[in-house]
Amino acid sequence: MPAVIEVSDLSKQYRVYRKHEGLVASIRNLFHREFTKVDAVKQVSFQIEEGEIVGFLGPNGAGKTTTLKLLSGLIYPTSGHATVLGHIPWKRENAYRRNFSLVMGQKNQLWWDIPAQESFRLHQAIYKIPDQEFERRLDELVSLLEVGKLIRQPVRELSLGERMRMELIASLLHNPRVLFLDEPTIGLDVVSQKRVQEFLKHYQQQEQITVVLTSHYMRDVESLCKRVIVINDGEIRHDGSLSEIVDRFSTHKVISLIFHNGDIPSDLQKYGKLLEADPPAVKLSVERDKVSNVLGSLLSRYQVDDLTVHERPLEDVFADLFDTHK
Ligand SMILES: Nc1ncnc2c1ncn2[C@@H]1O[C@H](COP(=O)(O)OP(=O)(O)OP(=O)(O)O)[C@@H](O)[C@H]1O
Ligand SMILES: [Mg+2]
């Protein structure tokens, strides 16, 4: 059976007008338009199987939204192929439209001035969802996302987090098999972010839908995605499990120590880079494969009251990855 999402050598080049300043230049621009080209996505290939939830990560301008727009059929590629559920997205067939959804955290699909409930009705009509099924799904999603009465309030009166939950309901009413989420938690506070994460996790497990998610919040990625595709400058840099990324790109671990009586040794630099020294606590960054040796030496030489070893925060790992692989 083919994968749910198959992408091969997909590229998208945008043409951007180069505008010159000043009146003469403006007139010249009318007759002689100059373009520059932006390679937003360059020969990207990957496959995603049914029921996977994949994090699509990369810095600003990496090509994530462009890829999701291609897979949703909003834009045409410059070259390459893709199928989702056996459909070529940019053919925009109804059979495809009924089976996927795209949610963009930065954009609303709900009408601003009317209650979400009425927008949901509109979705029912567009997707031809039978009354009974519509009611059943709406009830279920409303209770899972705990939005109760809010669906009768004009959308503009809702908080960002509440609105996002409504957007998710709208996108799931027609029971899509594939869900593209472009920064679904952007701008949300930690509590709302967590609520969205928990909902997505639960819903995905229950329905076994295929999800591709972009986010700049590592917590989203950690809590939801086993597999991560890293894109930078339009090209795929890594495709694998999150732990592989940490193993491969995180060269150091952090050792936190509490020295007895606050006696911090003066020669700690020889074990690693001193990140913080706040007696009696110290944080050392140590190369991964030297951690056990360093621990052995420290414990045999000094009186240590407490000790923990942790991975560097994912944010730091990705910051390094994006920086050094440009
Ligand atoms: N409509 C457009 N016209 C011209 N260039 C565009 C257009 N949309 C995106 N680009 C350019 O394509 C590149 C990729 O943009 P894209 O929006 O896919 O990045 P992204 O990975 O989603 O970034 P972010 O994390 O900031 O959302 C960027 O250089 C961007 O400036
Ligand atoms: Mg984007």
Side-chain angles (χ1 to χ4, degrees):
M1 218 175 67
V4 168
I5 301 176
E6 304 231 13
V7 176
S8 69
D9 289 331
L10 195 63
S11 299
K12 175 69 186 180
Q13 193 174 61
Y14 291 110
R15 295 220 294 174
V16 192
Y17 289 118
R18 200 205 304 253
K19 287 209 184 90
H20 296 281
E21 303 263 312
L23 182 64
V24 176
S26 298
I27 294 168
R28 182 149 32 93
N29 280 341
L30 282 176
F31 300 100
H32 182 75
R33 292 204 154 190
E34 276 180 52
F35 295 103
T36 50
K37 291 171 182 165
V38 178
D39 287 308
V41 171
K42 301 180 210 164
Q43 300 205 302
V44 158
S45 302
F46 57 86
Q47 293 196 344
I48 297 176
E49 305 292 332
E50 174 151 29
E52 273 195 279
I53 171 157
V54 176
F56 206 49
L57 308 183
N60 290 133
K64 304 178 297 290
T65 301
T66 302
T67 307
L68 292 190
K69 282 182 175 170
L70 287 164
L71 294 181
S72 306
L74 291 180
I75 52 175
Y76 290 90
T78 311
S79 61
H81 306 276
T83 56
V84 184
L85 296 161
H87 300 276
I88 296 171
W90 43 93
K91 280 195 175 170
R92 299 177 188 168
E93 293 157 308
N94 278 332
Y96 178 47
R97 252 185 253 199
R98 269 188 232 118
N99 279 308
F100 85 96
S101 255
L102 167 68
V103 178
M104 300 178 115
Q106 316 246 38
K107 279 203 175 127
N108 298 310
Q109 51 176 336
L110 299 169
W111 290 64
W112 199 241
D113 289 316
I114 62 172
Q117 195 169 31
E118 319 228 340
S119 286
F120 298 156
R121 285 270 169 212
L122 206 67
H123 278 247
Q124 184 193 2
I126 293 169
Y127 290 106
K128 300 192 173 70
I129 310 169
D131 281 340
Q132 249 186 342
E133 195 195 331
F134 173 78
E135 298 296 344
R136 186 183 59 76
R137 287 194 63 77
L138 183 57
D139 281 353
E140 191 189 348
L141 290 166
V142 162
S143 90
L144 276 176
L145 281 160
E146 300 169 88
V147 282
K149 302 188 289 280
L150 295 174
I151 66 171
R152 288 189 279 279
Q153 223 163 302
V155 168
R156 75 179 129 72
E157 292 172 7
L158 302 179
S159 74
L160 190 61
E162 290 162 350
R163 219 161 64 217
M164 196 56 224
R165 284 183 267 156
M166 298 300 180
E167 295 279 343
L168 285 168
I169 294 178
S171 71
L172 294 170
L173 278 171
H174 62 289
N175 204 2
R177 299 309 305 152
V178 173
L179 179 62
F180 299 121
L181 297 165
D182 195 12
E183 303 193 38
T185 57
I186 192 158
L188 303 190
D189 64 55
V190 181
V191 177
S192 298
Q193 268 178 32
K194 200 150 187 232
R195 194 177 280 212
V196 169
Q197 285 160 11
E198 275 164 10
F199 165 74
L200 288 172
K201 199 169 190 166
H202 174 89
Y203 185 86
Q204 195 273 338
Q205 274 168 4
Q206 180 184 304
E207 304 283 333
Q208 283 300 302
I209 61 171
T210 308
V211 179
V212 183
L213 165 135
T214 80
S215 178
H216 289 283
Y217 297 113
M218 289 307 139
R219 241 178 254 170
D220 287 350
V221 181
E222 275 174 303
S223 71
L224 292 168
C225 314
K226 282 204 192 77
R227 175 176 166 200
V228 170
I229 296 177
V230 179
I231 180 170
N232 193 5
D233 213 6
E235 291 176 289
I236 291 185
R237 305 284 184 203
H238 184 84
D239 181 351
S241 69
L242 199 53
S243 53
E244 266 169 40
I245 292 192
V246 175
D247 285 349
R248 185 168 153 199
F249 296 107
S250 182
T251 50
H252 291 67
K253 285 195 181 194
V254 178
I255 303 181
S256 298
L257 300 146
I258 308 253
F259 286 97
H260 191 65
N261 287 339
D263 294 335
I264 296 181
S266 55
D267 62 346
L268 283 178
Q269 309 280 5
K270 72 177 187 211
Y271 300 104
K273 189 172 160 209
L274 200 58
L275 298 176
E276 249 177 71
D278 183 13
V282 167
K283 271 190 187 170
L284 268 182
S285 170
V286 176
E287 281 177 52
R288 289 176 88 79
D289 48 4
K290 295 200 177 131
V291 168
S292 48
N293 280 346
V294 168
L295 287 178
S297 312
L298 286 172
L299 290 175
S300 65
R301 249 166 252 179
Y302 307 107
Q303 238 188 314
V304 175
D305 283 347
D306 194 17
L307 170 156
T308 42
V309 181
H310 18 216
E311 294 288 355
R312 294 172 65 225
L314 266 185
E315 276 87 358
D316 293 1
V317 177
F318 279 103
D320 285 355
L321 175 60
F322 298 151
D323 220 33
T324 51
H325 290 255
K326 265 214 143 167

